[in-house]
Amino acid sequence: MTDTGQRAETAEESRASRASRSSAAARAAGRGARGAGRAAGNGARATRQAGGWVRARITRRRALVACAYAVAWLAFAVPIALVLFFTSSATTTVASHDSVVRPTTDHYATLHTGPFLPDVRAPVSGPVGVDITLGKTETTSAEGLVERYAFIASQPDAQVERVERLVRRMAYDAALRGAVLGAVPILVWVAVGKRRRRELVGRLDPRHPTGVLLGVGLALVLAAVLVSQPWESRDPMLADTTDWQSLPDYVPEVTVPREAQQVQVSVNSTTYETKRLVLSAIDTFRRSKQFYAAAALATENLDLRQPAEGETVALMVSDRHDNIGMDPVARAIADKAGATAILNAGDDTSTGQAWEAFSLDSLDKAFRDYDQRFSVLGNHDHGSFVEAYLEDLGWTVGTGEVVEGPGGGRLLAFNDPRSSGLGNWRDEPGLSIDELASKIADVACESDVRVNTLLVHDSDMATEALRRGCVDIALSGHVHVQVGPNPVRGLDARRGYTYTNGTTGGAAYALAVGSKLRRPAEVTLVTYRDGRPVGLQPVTLQTNGVFEVGDWLPLHFD
């Protein structure tokens, strides 16, 4: 082989060698790049994992801190709320008295009655007891007051509900204040900050003079609060009633009704006259309970007209005059007749004062589930209390406007402008009855839709509206006896009716509280068809406990 050929072959080999080395270097570089990429990826994943672990740790730490704050808040809030609740008091009307109500932990409902009667108490089923101190009331004699107590005790549900609502509201208020006050230390702790907290803790070192003074001062303040108990507000005039005796043991000479077997009586410094009052109260309680319970039960046998398809029945009451015993009887009659609305022609009280709230509570409890509850004020309800109280309970009271009434008809109701007390006298401030009758007629006659029911206390208030022929029927009370239904031909020849219900409370004058009825008690069932009244049926409970069911009286319109 020539030199020229050898040199060419050598050059070719050199080029191949260089190409091979370049390819190997490229492959090595690729492997390095891939390794670096994998390393970078692994590093990124490690960084992400580390970051996630840190974030998770921070999240757990924050959750633990939040839980610690929540536990600390509960540790402050719950004791504060309990202290506030069990040291609080509220005023309300109980058993016709302005009363102070306090929650207790003794599982008793205790009633401090004042100087004439011993205190009484009875066990309660719930975890919280109640202490009730009776204040002022309206009464003419101790005997009358005792009779009222016994009568209210025979129908106690409305009064019990009133106290329960008040205690629940006190518990809610205490819980709310405890929640707010319990958050104050937590907020202060956060606001002070970690560095400042360490400085303060350092000053509380027992070896530090300032810490010693602060520690001793806080201990003294806490001891003073615990010893003095500034929240304790017991009336120092109240006797220490720690000696209790069951009612059957207190008056073994009589048979105590089953409902009163668990009642206990405070027996310190009890006199013979006081025991006589208690015996009188037991007798009133027993006779009242038996009379009205038997009457309510007897309604099951009454032959009352039942509403036909498309008809609506409303129960009419008037002149209850605090007779809460008749409320469950009236409701039983309404249920038997299929009534779904109530029309109240007024005089639920005797004087219209706040001490008579027990009467309104009882009426409301009996008919609370009715969607339509209409009422007017009578002359004995005069004042601001009765109207505002009934409205708060959800009743529609003497609006003076045409509204939807029973059966979809139109109803107009006006209050009596007069005021009366326990006698038969009457004041007439503002509008007279004649002037009010003219105003009522104007409202009724100007209505775009005919007024089907005019609800007033005194029938004289409806005379002008009937004379003009603007209402179907005027329902009233006031005179304590049934009058009508009487047809009235208006100026436009349209017929209307006037009807007066007797006293539902069986009242003589303004008094109806007692162990039995003072005179016959009446309610009336008013039937509506297509919104118009089409019939009346009076039901009367006699003083001997016997019912008289009147005929269903049809109403005819032109």
Side-chain angles (χ1 to χ4, degrees), residues 389-513:
Y389 198 85
L390 284 175
E391 287 179 344
D392 287 342
L393 293 175
W395 289 68
T396 301
V397 183
T399 61
E401 299 176 353
V402 178
V403 298
E404 182 178 338
R410 313 310 293 174
L411 179 140
L412 176 62
F414 268 85
N415 296 328
D416 195 308
R418 299 165 296 185
S419 64
S420 297
L422 294 175
N424 59 358
W425 50 270
R426 296 184 298 190
D427 292 334
E428 295 187 9
L431 292 176
S432 68
I433 288 295
D434 291 340
E435 292 171 333
L436 182 59
S438 179
K439 177 181 178 180
I440 293 173
D442 291 341
V443 175
C445 296
E446 291 172 2
S447 174
D448 295 335
V449 182
R450 181 173 175 80
V451 173
N452 305 116
T453 304
L454 174 58
L455 182 63
V456 293
H457 180 61
D458 188 340
S459 61
D460 290 344
M461 299 166 61
T463 302
E464 182 64 16
L466 287 167
R467 188 185 71 85
R468 299 185 195 177
C470 299
V471 298
D472 285 338
I473 192 169
L475 301 175
S476 62
H478 184 57
V479 296
H480 292 196
V481 293
Q482 178 187 333
V483 180
N486 296 323
V488 178
R489 185 68 68 176
L491 294 177
D492 59 355
R494 301 186 69 176
R495 177 182 294 179
Y497 287 88
T498 177
Y499 177 79
T500 299
N501 185 72
T503 167
T504 302
Y509 287 109
L511 299 176
V513 174

Side-chain angles (χ1 to χ4, degrees), residues 112 114-115 119 133 233-241 268:
H112 301 286
D119 296 342
T133 302
S233 59
R234 178 173 173 79
D235 189 345
M237 297 300 292
L238 293 175
D240 184 14
T241 57
N268 58 315

Side-chain angles (χ1 to χ4, degrees), residues 17 30 36 65 97 199 272 303 314 336 343 346 373 391 424 446 457 505 518 547:
S17 177
V65 171
H97 285 261
E199 294 176 0
Y272 175 70
D303 184 17
K336 180 67 175 179
L343 303 168
R373 300 182 295 171
E391 287 179 344
N424 59 358
E446 291 172 2
H457 180 61
R518 296 173 183 267
F547 278 102

Side-chain angles (χ1 to χ4, degrees), residues 1-10:
M1 182 179 294
T2 63
D3 292 338
T4 302
Q6 291 178 346
R7 284 194 297 271
E9 183 178 355
T10 300

Side-chain angles (χ1 to χ4, degrees), residues 217-444:
L218 289 174
L220 291 176
V221 170
L222 179 60
V225 170
L226 292 176
V227 172
S228 63
Q229 294 184 354
W231 54 82
E232 182 64 40
S233 59
R234 178 173 173 79
D235 189 345
M237 297 300 292
L238 293 175
D240 184 14
T241 57
T242 58
D243 190 8
W244 295 93
Q245 189 174 9
S246 68
L247 189 57
D249 292 337
Y250 180 70
V251 284
E253 51 267 69
V254 299
T255 301
V256 176
R258 178 179 54 83
E259 297 86 351
Q261 292 284 334
Q262 291 185 308
V263 173
Q264 298 178 1
V265 181
S266 171
V267 295
N268 58 315
S269 64
T270 302
T271 66
Y272 175 70
E273 290 298 325
T274 299
K275 183 171 286 191
R276 286 185 59 187
L277 290 175
V278 174
L279 290 172
S280 175
I282 293 174
D283 183 62
T284 298
F285 175 89
R286 181 176 57 248
R287 288 189 288 137
S288 174
K289 193 81 173 178
Q290 292 174 349
F291 181 85
Y292 292 108
L297 186 62
T299 60
E300 290 295 325
N301 300 320
L302 298 182
D303 184 17
L304 303 177
R305 181 185 184 275
Q306 298 301 302
E309 185 177 355
E311 292 182 343
T312 299
V313 176
L315 179 78
M316 180 183 178
V317 300
S318 67
D319 303 279
R320 294 172 54 255
H321 289 295
D322 296 327
N323 188 351
I324 60 177
M326 277 298 297
D327 292 334
V329 179
R331 177 57 193 258
I333 294 172
D335 290 343
K336 180 67 175 179
T340 57
I342 181 170
L343 303 168
N344 177 17
D347 271 4
D348 289 304
T349 66
S350 297
T351 62
Q353 301 300 309
W355 66 267
E356 295 173 284
F358 72 91
S359 177
L360 307 178
D361 286 333
S362 176
L363 178 68
D364 178 69
K365 177 176 173 55
F367 298 96
R368 186 175 300 162
D369 58 332
Y370 279 14
D371 292 332
Q372 292 187 315
R373 300 182 295 171
F374 303 98
S375 181
V376 294
L377 304 184
N379 51 295
H380 286 276
D381 300 322
H382 187 79
S384 59
F385 172 73
V386 175
E387 181 174 16
Y389 198 85
L390 284 175
E391 287 179 344
D392 287 342
L393 293 175
W395 289 68
T396 301
V397 183
T399 61
E401 299 176 353
V402 178
V403 298
E404 182 178 338
R410 313 310 293 174
L411 179 140
L412 176 62
F414 268 85
N415 296 328
D416 195 308
R418 299 165 296 185
S419 64
S420 297
L422 294 175
N424 59 358
W425 50 270
R426 296 184 298 190
D427 292 334
E428 295 187 9
L431 292 176
S432 68
I433 288 295
D434 291 340
E435 292 171 333
L436 182 59
S438 179
K439 177 181 178 180
I440 293 173
D442 291 341
V443 175

Side-chain angles (χ1 to χ4, degrees), residues 60-78 178-195 197:
R60 286 195 297 270
R61 180 180 179 82
R62 288 176 178 175
L64 290 173
V65 171
C67 289
Y69 281 145
V71 171
W73 172 74
L74 287 174
F76 286 115
V78 172
V180 174
L181 293 175
V184 172
I186 309 301
L187 295 177
V188 172
W189 175 271
V190 174
V192 168
K194 187 175 182 179
R195 182 178 63 82
R197 288 199 299 267

